[in-house]
Amino acid sequence: MTVLRFDSVSKQYPGGRVALEDVSFDVGAGEMLFVTGHSGAGKSTLLKLIHLSERPSRGAVLFGERNLLKVRGRRVAMHRREVGVVFQDHRLLTDRSVFENIALPLILRGMRRGEIGKRVRSVLERLGLGDRERALPTQLSAGEQQRVGIARAVVSEPRLLVADEPTGNLDPTLSAEILALFSALPEHGTSVLVASHDLGLVKRMRKRVLVLDQGRLVDDIAPEDLADA
Ligand code: ADP
Ligand code: ADP
């Protein structure tokens, strides 16, 4: 089953450069893959088209059966519930506890409190944050903060998780740890697409890699071909 399909997608910003040019690829259910390329290659733009922060100039983005061109107005918020997003700077609320940060998307959906508590604690355990629920984000290490960002993105059980340079502020050891956490998500039914400019780090994860160069998809490397890539 296909979770995501880019069909000849191009994106040109108003008055700006071409950020993506005729990009096509499919992501299967439960698949994890990376998109890599130099700064300006179009990685962020590709992710923004998926969570509808931007719209393509040409071509179509399909999310399951849904053509995102047709998702407008109130449906944008509904779509975003099914697509978790992790940012480099994690964007946590600094005056709210770890628990509250993660619970927020569920509160906004009107979920019952008992159910929220269960879900948040289960995600905290999975991400090794079980003893940190009362802490404020500023009391956490950089790696813990990013794990809270991931927890907040997965607590809604999205079909797809997209992450834009999630290890950008972390040292190599922590980066590898965070990427290993992403690798475990497909077991729970979430497909994962991670953008990173760090090709060395990405290759070590042994997952499929899309390579963008000046907006063009120039390579789509299967895990078994990574050694000679
Ligand atoms: P990456 O994430 O790989 O660094 P981006 O998707 O951010 O690449 O950028 C791709 C290209 O699009 C770059 O040339 C960038 O300057 C341009 N770009 C990105 N966002 C905008 C924008 N909002 N307006 C105009 N140009 C943009
Ligand atoms: P990132 O690619 O990690 O999102 P950037 O620093 O490239 O971060 O971009 C920050 C913001 O500025 C983004 O919202 C992006 O769309 C916008 N942006 C990037 N390049 C340009 C550009 N050339 N002109 C206008 N806006 C841009």
Side-chain angles (χ1 to χ4, degrees), residues 85-121:
V85 183
V86 176
F87 303 95
Q88 174 174 349
D89 55 2
H90 48 72
R91 304 189 190 177
L92 301 175
L93 301 173
T94 51
D95 58 343
R96 299 298 175 96
S97 69
V98 165
F99 183 97
E100 290 171 311
N101 266 280
I102 299 170
L104 193 62
L106 304 181
I107 293 170
L108 293 176
R109 280 165 59 173
M111 192 179 276
R112 285 181 299 109
R113 268 178 45 188
E115 179 68 17
I116 291 175
K118 258 196 284 182
R119 285 246 212 148
V120 172
R121 293 205 171 89

Side-chain angles (χ1 to χ4, degrees), residues 13-14 16-17 39-40 43-45 48 54 87-88 91 164-165:
Y13 287 100
R17 293 244 306 271
S39 177
K43 305 180 293 297
S44 290
T45 300
K48 285 173 183 171
E54 293 288 351
F87 303 95
Q88 174 174 349
R91 304 189 190 177
D164 196 354
E165 300 283 356

Side-chain angles (χ1 to χ4, degrees), residues 3 30 63 66 78-86 102-106 109 111 115-124 126-127 149-162 185-192:
V3 168
F63 184 70
R66 184 183 306 154
M78 287 162 68
H79 169 69
R80 286 187 183 145
R81 285 182 193 171
E82 294 177 64
V83 180
V85 183
V86 176
I102 299 170
L104 193 62
L106 304 181
R109 280 165 59 173
M111 192 179 276
E115 179 68 17
I116 291 175
K118 258 196 284 182
R119 285 246 212 148
V120 172
R121 293 205 171 89
S122 144
V123 169
L124 283 169
R126 249 165 68 197
L127 292 176
I150 297 169
R152 184 186 50 188
V154 299
V155 74
S156 310
E157 298 176 353
R159 277 199 283 164
L160 175 67
L161 184 77
V162 299
L185 295 176
E187 290 165 27
H188 298 265
T190 298
S191 303
V192 181

Side-chain angles (χ1 to χ4, degrees), residues 5-9 21-26 208 210 217 220:
R5 167 167 293 171
F6 270 56
D7 186 7
S8 299
V9 171
E21 174 95 52
D22 199 20
V23 170
S24 299
F25 66 92
D26 282 0
R208 178 181 170 198
L210 305 178
L217 183 59
D220 184 343

